[in-house]
């Protein structure tokens, strides 16, 4: 089962000290969806892999709250004007935490691959939260960011390009755009660098194009 641990953090934007929970241990016994969304048996760990200051809305992974993090004046202004108003009286959902973390990461100039991973996790949280509309919204942003990463010279390591290309196709399929999905699935073969080791990517891309499944088997 998923085990959590309480940690003390200080927001680098507003200097508010607060408690958050982080994952100590988890499992993958709940299976893995074909967009690599891994489920744990019992409580899901995703919402606890990122942290959010409920005073101002700044969010990120644990290292984004380190003592040596010094946010720029522009970042502080953006957090105040765009993230603080989005806070709710209740505890923030996992998807909101990842959305805020993605916005902060974008304002800090992080690479598209990093932003894509945050938006993908936001979409996964929406699945667990039962929010279909928000799920599609975050999947689009993840697909666009992964695509941007693939256009960069070193945005994605060569041995990962086939998997990421497949993932973009699977994201568009889950959004409901089968035409865009098929185009990405067809590109997977061109990105394979090790046919033997990456043969499974070709197989699953063909499967999801013709007879899609929800889970890996």
């Amino acid at each position: 089962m998923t085990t959590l641990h309480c940690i003390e953090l200080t927001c680098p934007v507003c200097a508010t000290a607060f408690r958050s929970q982080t994952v100590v241990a988890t499992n993958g016994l709940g299976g893995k969806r074909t967009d690599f969304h891994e489920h744990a048996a019992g409580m899901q760990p995703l919402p606890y892999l990122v942290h959010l200051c409920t005073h101002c809305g700044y969010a990120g992974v644990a290292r984004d709250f380190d003592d040596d993090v010094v946010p720029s004046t522009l970042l502080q202004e953006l957090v105040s004007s765009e993230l603080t108003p989005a806070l709710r009286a209740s505890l923030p959902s996992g998807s909101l935490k990842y959305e805020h973390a993605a916005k902060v990461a974008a304002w800090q100039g992080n690479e598209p691959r990093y932003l894509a991973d945050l938006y993908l996790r936001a979409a996964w949280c929406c699945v667990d939260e039962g929010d279909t509309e928000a799920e599609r919204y975050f999947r689009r942003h993840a697909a666009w960011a992964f695509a941007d990463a693939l256009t960069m010279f070193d945005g994605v390591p060569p041995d990962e390009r086939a998997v990421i290309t497949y993932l973009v196709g699977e994201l568009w399929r889950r959004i409901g755009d089968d035409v865009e999905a098929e185009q990405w699935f067809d590109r997977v073969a061109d990105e394979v660098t090790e046919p033997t080791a990456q043969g499974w990517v070709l197989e699953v891309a063909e499967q999801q194009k013709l007879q899609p499944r929800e889970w890996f088997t």
Side-chain angles (χ1 to χ4, degrees):
M1 60 184 295
T2 299
T3 305
L4 304 178
H5 175 68
C6 187
I7 58 175
E8 302 280 347
L9 297 173
T10 299
C11 177
V13 170
C14 68
T16 297
F18 65 99
R19 290 183 176 182
S20 187
Q21 291 180 300
T22 189
V23 177
V24 175
T26 189
N27 65 81
L29 300 178
K32 183 185 291 185
R33 297 180 188 271
T34 49
D35 64 347
F36 305 116
H37 180 188
E38 190 170 65
H39 273 242
M43 181 172 55
Q44 301 307 310
L46 274 175
Y48 307 101
L49 297 175
V50 68
H51 311 283
L52 181 144
C53 171
T54 55
H55 184 263
C56 72
Y58 173 86
V61 296
R63 66 173 178 272
D64 294 315
F65 292 86
D66 286 347
D67 293 338
D68 60 353
V69 174
V70 181
S72 66
T73 300
L74 177 58
L75 177 61
Q76 294 179 54
E77 293 174 350
L78 288 168
V79 168
S80 178
S81 62
E82 297 195 28
L83 300 188
T84 306
L87 293 177
R88 302 289 185 267
S90 59
L91 291 176
S93 63
S95 58
L96 179 69
K97 292 164 70 174
Y98 279 106
E99 179 182 18
H100 281 211
K103 289 182 177 180
V104 169
W107 294 333
Q108 292 175 324
N110 279 273
E111 296 295 327
R113 172 68 184 275
Y114 184 65
L115 304 182
D117 286 332
L118 291 172
Y119 278 121
L120 179 59
R121 291 187 173 199
W124 290 345
C125 285
C126 286
V127 173
D128 296 333
E129 294 160 8
D131 191 339
T132 303
E133 182 177 351
E135 176 195 341
R136 291 196 184 99
Y137 171 83
F138 290 127
R139 287 192 188 282
R140 287 189 183 92
H141 279 274
W144 291 331
F146 278 126
D148 286 343
L150 286 166
T151 64
M152 300 173 62
F153 176 72
D154 56 353
V156 177
D159 61 347
E160 296 180 17
R161 289 185 62 88
V163 174
I164 297 301
T165 300
Y166 157 76
L167 178 56
V168 175
E170 179 63 6
L171 288 171
W172 283 115
R173 187 192 71 79
R174 288 174 178 264
I175 290 166
D177 191 333
D178 292 337
V179 174
E180 187 74 13
E182 183 173 340
Q183 292 176 354
W184 282 94
F185 288 143
D186 288 341
R187 296 177 193 174
V188 172
D190 295 332
E191 300 292 353
V192 170
T193 57
E194 298 179 20
T196 301
Q198 296 177 320
W200 70 271
V201 187
L202 289 170
E203 292 178 4
V204 76
E206 189 69 10
Q207 167 193 287
Q208 295 305 95
K209 183 173 69 172
L210 300 176
Q211 295 180 312
R213 297 177 180 176
E214 179 71 11
W215 300 87
F216 284 113
T217 56

